[in-house]
Amino acid sequence: AKKSNNKGYVMYKKQQRFSHNQMLKLETRLHDAIINEAFELYYQPKVNLQTNEIDGMEALIRWFDDELGFVAPDQFIPFAEEVGFITDISEWVIAKAGRQVMIWNEQFNLNMRVAVNISPSHLKAENFIERLKNILKANEISPNSLEIEITEMSFLDQNADLLSTITQLKEMGITLAIDDFGTGYSSLSYLKRFPVDLLKIDRSFIHEMYKNEADVAMVAAIITLARALDLKIVAEGVEEYKDLLLLRDFNCEFVQGYYYSRPLTIEDFSKRLIEKGIQ
Ligand code: C2E
Ligand code: CA
Ligand code: CA
Ligand code: CA
């Protein structure tokens, strides 16, 4: 069941299954939200550990519904996948985030990329590449400014179509990142077969790794693997200075996390850029 706190936010427990009535309600509200573009994007800085400067950002969707209150993406994104709304939502995200990074790059004379999360079902949609090209063109978004994050789940059924899609993304100049790396069920063989650029180490390994030898060993091993395969590394969910120090020791290239910044509104992100870098 849902719980309302005193701010009127509706909070669903993670992984909780919805009742039939809740699903109907959610589906109606989500459908309305898509039509009315009732979403917002927040942007979390990705920081270069060597220079301490903002290198780029990840776009993260937010939905504040008039009736339901705040619904977390962990809740409505899986639902949107199930009911077939995910492509509409993701295409909105790509257009919005892509446009925004072009504006920032021009305004601050930078060359940043924005990362967007793409669900497996969207990636595998038949006309994915064609529609993506149209969105980039219509919004004057350079493919070089776009990074696509997919999880290992996308590689569960590795097939020729997927290889072709990903190869086409690369040919367009789009950067490809593996999200939540280390938590998927896929074998590592896809790293050899697919032209991936970047691994994002899941925050379950990073968070308080300084307290846990096994986590430190895993992170060190992932970074070694990435180096050998010529992949860049982003450590996600860095909250503690002690974890940051370990990542520095390992020469990890990029970090994201509350230690540097939570996801920000456009206005707050712009302020960070004006302050030039982050510290
Ligand atoms: P994700 O792609 O792994 O995104 C990272 C999540 O970790 C975000 O949660 C972010 O706010 C949070 N985070 C960042 N730094 C820290 C930290 O230091 N500590 C902690 N505890 N958390 C941190 P968020 O925004 O709630 O998103 C949750 C998930 O929802 C995302 O996980 C992603 O799978 C999905 N999602 C979010 N936006 C989109 C979107 O536009 N499209 C799609 N398809 N999925 C999205
Ligand atoms: Ca992500
Ligand atoms: Ca992640
Ligand atoms: Ca995730």
Side-chain angles (χ1 to χ4, degrees):
K2 68 186 180 187
K3 268 193 312 201
S4 270
N5 69 10
N6 52 10
K7 285 178 185 145
Y9 289 176
V10 176
M11 296 185 294
Y12 294 96
K13 268 232 228 82
K14 226 179 172 177
Q15 313 265 299
Q16 191 168 351
R17 307 209 39 184
F18 299 109
S19 75
H20 184 67
N21 276 343
Q22 284 175 323
M23 299 232 284
L24 284 181
K25 180 81 175 172
L26 199 56
E27 184 167 349
T28 316
R29 299 305 300 165
L30 200 51
H31 186 251
D32 279 5
I34 292 167
I35 288 169
N36 301 323
E37 302 190 22
F39 304 108
E40 243 189 284
L41 288 181
Y42 276 52
Y43 298 89
Q44 187 176 39
K46 181 171 87 187
V47 176
N48 181 324
L49 255 190
Q50 214 127 64
T51 60
N52 261 342
E53 280 182 358
I54 296 177
D55 177 83
M57 72 293 290
E58 177 177 5
L60 294 157
I61 199 166
R62 296 291 177 261
W63 179 27
F64 302 90
D65 184 71
D66 288 342
E67 279 180 43
L68 300 173
F70 175 74
V71 189
D74 272 339
Q75 289 300 333
F76 75 83
I77 293 289
F79 182 79
E81 275 176 59
E82 241 170 81
V83 295
F85 292 163
I86 194 64
T87 298
D88 285 336
I89 295 174
S90 293
E91 291 187 344
W92 178 85
V93 172
I94 293 168
K96 203 79 176 168
R99 195 82 284 283
Q100 187 56 48
V101 76
M102 297 305 285
I103 291 171
W104 274 324
N105 280 342
E106 192 175 301
Q107 194 177 353
F108 296 99
N109 195 23
L110 294 170
N111 201 5
M112 303 183 295
R113 281 193 304 265
V114 68
V116 298
N117 295 284
I118 298 296
S119 308
S121 58
H122 181 206
L123 187 71
K124 286 166 190 171
E126 200 159 329
N127 43 13
F128 172 71
I129 292 285
E130 193 188 323
R131 293 179 64 109
L132 178 63
K133 282 184 173 161
N134 288 337
I135 293 166
L136 299 190
K137 201 168 168 201
N139 294 281
E140 297 180 40
I141 299 163
S142 157
N144 296 312
S145 304
L146 190 65
E147 194 167 297
I148 285 185
E149 296 191 0
I150 58 179
T151 62
E152 293 171 304
M153 296 299 283
S154 295
F155 296 100
L156 262 184
D157 54 340
Q158 300 185 23
N159 58 36
D161 286 351
L162 182 63
L163 184 57
S164 153
T165 299
I166 287 178
T167 306
Q168 286 179 79
L169 287 177
K170 294 302 307 165
E171 282 167 1
M172 289 166 69
I174 292 173
T175 300
L176 198 74
I178 307 298
D179 204 357
D180 303 346
F181 185 76
T183 62
Y185 306 100
S186 170
S187 83
L188 288 175
S189 65
Y190 69 89
L191 288 179
K192 257 185 0 186
R193 290 188 55 216
F194 291 84
V196 169
D197 302 289
L198 209 94
L199 299 186
K200 300 191 77 173
I201 310 178
D202 192 69
R203 79 162 179 264
S204 57
F205 299 108
I206 303 294
H207 182 62
E208 298 193 328
M209 66 189 258
Y210 73 91
K211 287 183 182 168
N212 185 326
E213 275 176 44
D215 282 343
V216 175
M218 296 277 244
V219 171
I222 293 172
I223 292 178
T224 303
L225 173 72
R227 209 92 339 117
L229 296 174
D230 208 14
L231 304 173
K232 295 236 180 318
I233 287 277
V234 182
E236 293 195 289
V238 179
E239 294 183 21
E240 313 257 351
Y241 185 60
K242 285 179 179 168
D243 292 328
L244 189 79
L245 287 181
L246 281 171
L247 292 165
R248 273 228 175 91
D249 280 349
F250 295 152
N251 290 317
C252 173
E253 282 101 347
F254 305 108
V255 292
Q256 255 178 258
Y258 295 169
Y259 176 79
Y260 279 107
S261 173
R262 288 180 177 261
L264 302 170
T265 61
I266 290 175
E267 202 188 9
D268 287 340
F269 199 102
S270 298
K271 279 187 199 151
R272 289 294 185 103
L273 291 174
I274 290 167
E275 289 160 10
K276 234 188 176 305
I278 221 150
Q279 288 192 327

